[in-house]
Amino acid sequence: MLVRFIDGLINYHFLQNALISALVIGITCGAVGTFIILRSLSLMGDAISHAVLPGVALSFMLGINLFIGAIVFGLVASFIISFIKENSVIKGDTAIGITFSSFLALGVILIGMANSSTDLFHILFGNILAVQDSDMWLTLGISGLVLGLLGLFFKGLLLTSFDPVLAKTMGIPVSFYHYLLMGILTLVSVTAMQSVGTILIVSMLVTPAATAYLFAKSLKQMLFLASGIGATSSLLGLFLGYSLNMAVGSSIVLTATLFFLLAFLISKRRIFTKEKGLGKNQF
């Protein structure tokens, strides 16, 4: 299988595109997922990853780039969730549930109106083997922007993730960093559509970061470890999916899940308190 995969990489341009895109997406999802895990925003990641669906369908109907509609609807969904949470007695998980279900329902309706289930099916479940050169370069550009933003605002994201109250008393704009992270999450969800689809994006955001959380002793260590696990899962998932003629997106997700299960079994940090786990004093 390995020889066949290497031969394919040498001879087939589509597999080269898939490999580059998978590695970049794995690295980016791992890095962003670190902050998602630490802020307990896994449900938010799930909501935004599904909220891009109506944007994708609408873009297809209008004949514009799918990324444009996905980004717009993802940002709108994150704003609606935050607005409901901050301006009512409704809790965050309830706001996420309302927004998530309504956007998903709208996406299903628009998919039916689009009359093109083939392309949109690939958006739902991913088809990284069909990535074109333009898609790959767009993925590289967005991923570079995301990683650049994480590096530029790292200290602010760190402090607001661990102690938003202290950050607020220090004059740090907590709301700005919240919406910044939501924007970054939307961008990542859009880039991951080609590899694992909107249905499985949340797994790539959460699973590598959760695996890294079991071993990391600092935020920087967790960032690099999560990115490495994400990239490795993408590489092995692509190899298995291509070699065994399976859905590559699902293979990537299951590979990441297997890494988590192995880490869970051997990690000594399965049960811990805040004092034993990652804490702000360790950063």
Side-chain angles (χ1 to χ4, degrees):
M1 289 195 304
L2 181 59
V3 174
R4 176 171 176 262
F5 181 70
I6 294 176
D7 182 66
L9 283 176
I10 296 174
N11 295 292
Y12 300 127
H13 186 63
F14 75 90
L15 192 57
Q16 297 168 5
N17 285 353
L19 177 63
I20 295 172
S21 299
L23 290 175
V24 171
I25 290 170
I27 292 171
T28 308
C29 283
V32 176
T34 297
F35 292 100
I36 300 302
I37 287 289
L38 295 179
R39 288 173 175 249
S40 301
L41 290 175
S42 298
L43 284 177
M44 180 68 85
D46 192 25
I48 292 180
S49 65
H50 288 75
V52 303
L53 181 59
V56 170
L58 189 60
S59 296
F60 188 87
M61 294 169 66
L62 297 176
I64 61 177
N65 193 293
L66 303 182
F67 286 86
I68 297 175
I71 291 174
V72 170
F73 272 77
L75 292 175
V76 170
S78 64
F79 174 79
I80 291 175
I81 292 170
S82 299
F83 183 82
I84 293 174
K85 179 182 176 182
E86 295 172 3
N87 293 276
S88 70
V89 295
I90 300 297
K91 294 184 178 180
D93 58 343
T94 305
I96 289 173
I98 294 171
T99 307
F100 160 75
S101 57
S102 57
F103 271 68
L104 182 60
L106 177 61
V108 171
I109 291 174
L110 291 176
I111 285 177
M113 296 173 61
N115 294 322
S116 182
S117 59
T118 301
D119 289 338
L120 293 176
F121 179 86
H122 292 160
I123 297 300
L124 284 172
F125 299 102
N127 186 21
I128 198 167
L129 295 179
V131 170
Q132 303 297 316
D133 287 349
S134 57
D135 297 326
M136 183 192 69
W137 287 113
L138 187 58
T139 295
L140 288 172
I142 293 178
S143 297
L145 174 63
V146 166
L147 295 175
L149 289 173
L150 289 180
L152 182 63
F153 296 102
F154 178 79
K155 291 184 178 180
L157 288 170
L158 185 153
L159 187 55
T160 55
S161 294
F162 285 102
D163 201 334
V165 176
L166 175 61
K168 197 169 186 178
T169 59
M170 294 174 62
I172 296 176
V174 177
S175 295
F176 165 77
Y177 283 101
H178 172 75
Y179 284 109
L180 172 67
L181 188 60
M182 292 305 98
I184 289 175
L185 179 58
T186 300
L187 292 174
V188 172
S189 297
V190 172
T191 59
M193 283 192 305
Q194 290 280 4
S195 60
V196 296
T198 60
I199 301 297
L200 301 175
I201 287 173
V202 66
S203 178
M204 284 305 294
L205 283 167
V206 173
T207 308
T211 306
Y213 187 65
L214 292 172
F215 296 100
K217 296 181 180 180
S218 70
L219 180 57
K220 288 184 178 180
Q221 188 180 79
M222 183 176 172
L223 274 169
F224 286 109
L225 187 56
S227 296
I229 294 171
T232 304
S233 300
S234 297
L235 174 60
L236 291 179
L238 176 62
F239 165 69
L240 292 173
Y242 176 79
S243 301
L244 301 176
N245 196 27
M246 301 187 300
V248 175
S250 299
S251 299
I252 292 173
V253 169
L254 289 178
T255 302
T257 303
L258 179 61
F259 281 143
F260 173 78
L261 291 176
L262 291 174
F264 180 80
L265 291 174
I266 66 176
S267 172
K268 296 180 180 179
R269 296 179 58 200
R270 284 179 285 170
I271 302 175
F272 56 87
T273 62
K274 277 189 176 181
E275 288 74 20
K276 292 180 181 178
L278 288 172
K280 62 177 178 286
N281 292 331
Q282 292 175 280
F283 298 91

